[in-house]
Amino acid sequence: MGMMAADEDLSFDWVHIAYEEKLAFMETYGFAGNQGKVNLEGILIRPKGVPSKTLFIYMHPASTLQLMPVPRATARRGVHVLCAGSRYARNDTACILENVVLDLGAYIRHAKERLGYETIVLAGWSGGGSLALFYQAEAEAPSVTATPAGDPVDFAGAGLIPADAILFQAAHASRARMLCEVIDPSVIDEDDPDRRDASLDIYDPANPEQPPYSAAYIERFRAAQVARVRRITARVKEQLEALQRGNSGERERGFVTHRTLADPRFLDASLDPNDRPIGWCYMGKPETVNNGPVGLARFSTLRAWLSQWSIDDSQADGVANAARISAPLLVIENSADEVVPLPHPRMVFDAAGTRDKSYARIEGASHYYAGQPEQLAEVTALVFDWLGERGLA
């Protein structure tokens, strides 16, 4: 009841978008995409009785964002907000980020042509940040013609409409970069995660390397993380090639990647220091999450691994795509962010090719702004001041 009372000033309306797409095989369960159409669902949040020609679109590759504090706080400033779910909402096992770009394009076209919005602000929060940059780069100058697995993608033919401004808020540079920095490098056998190099297991109390870690250890640890990701990628490509050579209808496979949340930054405050809590992460105790059911890339298909998680193959890299955009860009760092590695927002800002880019830091803000009304109010005011200076809100 408390949540309902707090939201009495807002209306929440279901938005359904369907568009035709021919798929070689099914990758989403149920009615979402098995009738020759992609079906998408979003929630349009509006302040009651307040018209707006400006629409903020929040989209994450695999999450729904309508329950988050940020979109609601945005709507209370007098604009309309669409929390857009992709075809992979709440399940990124088979997520192809190129397909998510097409989904986002369908939402923007619907907002412009059917709902009558004139200004689109693409709000890239958390995992939506690199998605927003991927979309904008391809909308401004389409270049991608295939997924990393070689399946055709027609971004040019999709007629993607560029957004008028991009927010990169509490966002990491890419899913692939995130995984590469948190995957547990101690695993030496993907079929038996109990076979580990104890000297690389930061959760092993017998490991002589303890925080604060030496620079040499971190260098070795990071190199081992990249090496493990590349071993998995090589295995994925081998299996895809074998399926393509096979004389059968089999096109795809799923697999499990164990132990994927072991970033030394969780345990060592001296690494990329900010105000985050130590010994904790956004999903709980790091050692528990490391092999729990919700770890990054825990379940994946072969194609999804290449699109989302391969550091060498993913085309959704925020740093690379930021260099290709010309729309105004606002990058926001939260000083107590327990999800986003500290260097990521600055990397994206420095790489951004647009001449109109700004950087801001919200002191004390956690990733979700949970229980932080002051920081939430500060960041919302910041966004609207920035947009107002550009005549966009």
PDB file of all heavy atoms in Angstrom, residues 10 21 88 108 113 119 135 229 276 304 329:
ATOM      1  N   LEU A  10       1.115   9.465 -10.342  1.00  0.00           N
ATOM      2  CA  LEU A  10       1.585   8.930 -11.609  1.00  0.00           C
ATOM      3  C   LEU A  10       0.588   7.928 -12.179  1.00  0.00           C
ATOM      4  O   LEU A  10      -0.090   7.214 -11.431  1.00  0.00           O
ATOM      5  CB  LEU A  10       2.944   8.238 -11.437  1.00  0.00           C
ATOM      6  CG  LEU A  10       4.098   9.077 -10.890  1.00  0.00           C
ATOM      7  CD1 LEU A  10       5.322   8.196 -10.693  1.00  0.00           C
ATOM      8  CD2 LEU A  10       4.424  10.247 -11.810  1.00  0.00           C
ATOM      9  N   GLU A  21       9.296 -10.408 -37.850  1.00  0.00           N
ATOM     10  CA  GLU A  21      10.702 -10.793 -37.963  1.00  0.00           C
ATOM     11  C   GLU A  21      10.771 -12.276 -38.289  1.00  0.00           C
ATOM     12  O   GLU A  21      10.094 -13.091 -37.649  1.00  0.00           O
ATOM     13  CB  GLU A  21      11.454 -10.508 -36.661  1.00  0.00           C
ATOM     14  CG  GLU A  21      12.948 -10.809 -36.757  1.00  0.00           C
ATOM     15  CD  GLU A  21      13.701 -10.405 -35.507  1.00  0.00           C
ATOM     16  OE1 GLU A  21      13.624 -11.157 -34.517  1.00  0.00           O
ATOM     17  OE2 GLU A  21      14.333  -9.346 -35.513  1.00  0.00           O
ATOM     18  N   TYR A  88      13.964 -10.227 -24.472  1.00  0.00           N
ATOM     19  CA  TYR A  88      14.646 -11.106 -23.517  1.00  0.00           C
ATOM     20  C   TYR A  88      14.410 -10.663 -22.073  1.00  0.00           C
ATOM     21  O   TYR A  88      15.212 -10.984 -21.189  1.00  0.00           O
ATOM     22  CB  TYR A  88      16.147 -11.113 -23.786  1.00  0.00           C
ATOM     23  CG  TYR A  88      16.525 -11.434 -25.214  1.00  0.00           C
ATOM     24  CD1 TYR A  88      16.935 -10.422 -26.085  1.00  0.00           C
ATOM     25  CD2 TYR A  88      16.464 -12.739 -25.705  1.00  0.00           C
ATOM     26  CE1 TYR A  88      17.289 -10.698 -27.395  1.00  0.00           C
ATOM     27  CE2 TYR A  88      16.809 -13.022 -27.015  1.00  0.00           C
ATOM     28  CZ  TYR A  88      17.222 -12.009 -27.863  1.00  0.00           C
ATOM     29  OH  TYR A  88      17.570 -12.292 -29.161  1.00  0.00           O
ATOM     30  N   ILE A 108      11.230   3.372 -30.237  1.00  0.00           N
ATOM     31  CA  ILE A 108      11.416   4.778 -30.595  1.00  0.00           C
ATOM     32  C   ILE A 108      10.526   5.156 -31.778  1.00  0.00           C
ATOM     33  O   ILE A 108       9.914   6.233 -31.801  1.00  0.00           O
ATOM     34  CB  ILE A 108      12.902   5.065 -30.872  1.00  0.00           C
ATOM     35  CG1 ILE A 108      13.710   4.927 -29.564  1.00  0.00           C
ATOM     36  CG2 ILE A 108      13.084   6.436 -31.496  1.00  0.00           C
ATOM     37  CD1 ILE A 108      15.191   5.184 -29.718  1.00  0.00           C
ATOM     38  N   GLU A 113       5.966   7.966 -34.086  1.00  0.00           N
ATOM     39  CA  GLU A 113       4.945   7.909 -35.117  1.00  0.00           C
ATOM     40  C   GLU A 113       3.553   7.617 -34.590  1.00  0.00           C
ATOM     41  O   GLU A 113       2.555   8.054 -35.189  1.00  0.00           O
ATOM     42  CB  GLU A 113       5.338   6.872 -36.172  1.00  0.00           C
ATOM     43  CG  GLU A 113       6.644   7.199 -36.892  1.00  0.00           C
ATOM     44  CD  GLU A 113       7.044   6.166 -37.916  1.00  0.00           C
ATOM     45  OE1 GLU A 113       6.330   5.135 -38.021  1.00  0.00           O
ATOM     46  OE2 GLU A 113       8.066   6.378 -38.607  1.00  0.00           O
ATOM     47  N   THR A 119      10.584  14.742 -28.822  1.00  0.00           N
ATOM     48  CA  THR A 119      11.956  14.641 -28.325  1.00  0.00           C
ATOM     49  C   THR A 119      12.133  13.331 -27.583  1.00  0.00           C
ATOM     50  O   THR A 119      11.337  12.997 -26.696  1.00  0.00           O
ATOM     51  CB  THR A 119      12.277  15.816 -27.366  1.00  0.00           C
ATOM     52  OG1 THR A 119      12.126  17.044 -28.074  1.00  0.00           O
ATOM     53  CG2 THR A 119      13.695  15.705 -26.830  1.00  0.00           C
ATOM     54  N   TYR A 135      22.941   1.525 -29.707  1.00  0.00           N
ATOM     55  CA  TYR A 135      21.811   1.944 -30.538  1.00  0.00           C
ATOM     56  C   TYR A 135      22.110   3.256 -31.248  1.00  0.00           C
ATOM     57  O   TYR A 135      21.921   3.376 -32.466  1.00  0.00           O
ATOM     58  CB  TYR A 135      20.539   2.091 -29.694  1.00  0.00           C
ATOM     59  CG  TYR A 135      19.395   2.654 -30.515  1.00  0.00           C
ATOM     60  CD1 TYR A 135      18.585   1.803 -31.246  1.00  0.00           C
ATOM     61  CD2 TYR A 135      19.182   4.033 -30.601  1.00  0.00           C
ATOM     62  CE1 TYR A 135      17.566   2.308 -32.055  1.00  0.00           C
ATOM     63  CE2 TYR A 135      18.172   4.542 -31.409  1.00  0.00           C
ATOM     64  CZ  TYR A 135      17.368   3.682 -32.123  1.00  0.00           C
ATOM     65  OH  TYR A 135      16.374   4.193 -32.927  1.00  0.00           O
ATOM     66  N   VAL A 229      38.109 -16.057 -20.218  1.00  0.00           N
ATOM     67  CA  VAL A 229      37.049 -15.647 -21.148  1.00  0.00           C
ATOM     68  C   VAL A 229      37.385 -16.106 -22.556  1.00  0.00           C
ATOM     69  O   VAL A 229      36.522 -16.625 -23.283  1.00  0.00           O
ATOM     70  CB  VAL A 229      36.842 -14.120 -21.098  1.00  0.00           C
ATOM     71  CG1 VAL A 229      35.973 -13.653 -22.263  1.00  0.00           C
ATOM     72  CG2 VAL A 229      36.223 -13.708 -19.770  1.00  0.00           C
ATOM     73  N   ARG A 276      32.064   2.721  -2.248  1.00  0.00           N
ATOM     74  CA  ARG A 276      31.316   1.471  -2.235  1.00  0.00           C
ATOM     75  C   ARG A 276      31.579   0.682  -0.950  1.00  0.00           C
ATOM     76  O   ARG A 276      32.641   0.810  -0.341  1.00  0.00           O
ATOM     77  CB  ARG A 276      31.712   0.618  -3.442  1.00  0.00           C
ATOM     78  CG  ARG A 276      33.154   0.081  -3.356  1.00  0.00           C
ATOM     79  CD  ARG A 276      33.597  -0.610  -4.637  1.00  0.00           C
ATOM     80  NE  ARG A 276      34.925  -1.202  -4.523  1.00  0.00           N
ATOM     81  CZ  ARG A 276      36.059  -0.567  -4.740  1.00  0.00           C
ATOM     82  NH1 ARG A 276      36.045   0.711  -5.088  1.00  0.00           N
ATOM     83  NH2 ARG A 276      37.225  -1.195  -4.616  1.00  0.00           N
ATOM     84  N   ALA A 304      24.605 -16.114 -27.811  1.00  0.00           N
ATOM     85  CA  ALA A 304      24.496 -15.071 -26.798  1.00  0.00           C
ATOM     86  C   ALA A 304      25.850 -14.788 -26.156  1.00  0.00           C
ATOM     87  O   ALA A 304      26.152 -13.643 -25.817  1.00  0.00           O
ATOM     88  CB  ALA A 304      23.477 -15.467 -25.734  1.00  0.00           C
ATOM     89  N   LEU A 329      25.641  14.135 -24.813  1.00  0.00           N
ATOM     90  CA  LEU A 329      25.857  13.018 -23.902  1.00  0.00           C
ATOM     91  C   LEU A 329      26.140  13.530 -22.503  1.00  0.00           C
ATOM     92  O   LEU A 329      27.010  14.384 -22.309  1.00  0.00           O
ATOM     93  CB  LEU A 329      27.040  12.171 -24.382  1.00  0.00           C
ATOM     94  CG  LEU A 329      27.544  11.070 -23.439  1.00  0.00           C
ATOM     95  CD1 LEU A 329      26.517   9.939 -23.321  1.00  0.00           C
ATOM     96  CD2 LEU A 329      28.892  10.506 -23.921  1.00  0.00           C
TER      97      LEU A 329
END
